[in-house]
Amino acid sequence: QVQLVESGGGLVQPGESLRLSCAASVSIFSMNAMNWYRQAPGKERELVAGITTGGTTNYADSAKGRFTISRDNAKNTVYLQMNSLKPEDTAVYYCNARSWIHGDLYDYWGQGTQVTVSS
């Protein structure tokens, strides 16, 4: 069973930065992709950023230029560096590990970490 543990959330003021971490219980190199999603109150969960095994990254338009996803395979950890935070970035952030095995999709989720951006 894959376990994902997020950390690094908190309360910050607009314009400040946070770095989220996601520690996996298995080799993240074995996962096809590692992603960060977020869910704000009353809204659907949305993809924020993703990174593939090969290192290809993708970002939501709202995250481009401000957020950076990275991975440390040796530590089985994925990071989300968030700069220039805005109040609209307030949400619970979830780490996701995605794997395709023999055509079947497997999704694993962490418990989430709260990010609150407020003055």
Side-chain angles (χ1 to χ4, degrees):
Q1 183 71 13
V2 177
Q3 293 184 328
L4 303 171
V5 179
E6 302 100 332
S7 61
L11 171 64
V12 297
Q13 294 188 347
E16 294 185 338
S17 300
L18 276 176
R19 188 178 80 155
L20 305 183
S21 300
C22 170
S25 62
V26 299
S27 170
I28 61 173
F29 190 75
S30 67
M31 296 292 160
N32 294 98
M34 298 294 296
N35 305 297
W36 284 99
Y37 282 76
R38 69 185 180 188
Q39 187 166 21
K43 295 187 177 181
E44 293 188 354
R45 192 172 295 190
E46 63 175 358
L47 177 67
V48 177
I51 186 167
T52 68
T53 302
T56 300
T57 58
N58 64 286
Y59 297 92
D61 287 343
S62 59
K64 288 178 181 177
R66 299 188 300 126
F67 294 2
T68 303
I69 188 171
S70 61
R71 59 194 295 160
D72 185 331
N73 291 333
K75 296 182 177 179
N76 292 323
T77 300
V78 178
Y79 304 97
L80 184 67
Q81 177 67 45
M82 303 186 295
N83 299 328
S84 302
L85 283 162
K86 305 175 181 180
E88 50 264 44
D89 295 317
T90 296
V92 178
Y93 285 70
Y94 296 92
C95 181
N96 164 259
R98 183 158 293 157
S99 181
W100 285 270
I101 302 175
H102 302 305
D104 292 326
L105 176 64
Y106 294 85
D107 264 332
Y108 305 95
W109 296 91
Q111 82 288 350
T113 185
Q114 177 71 47
V115 172
T116 302
V117 185
S118 176
S119 55

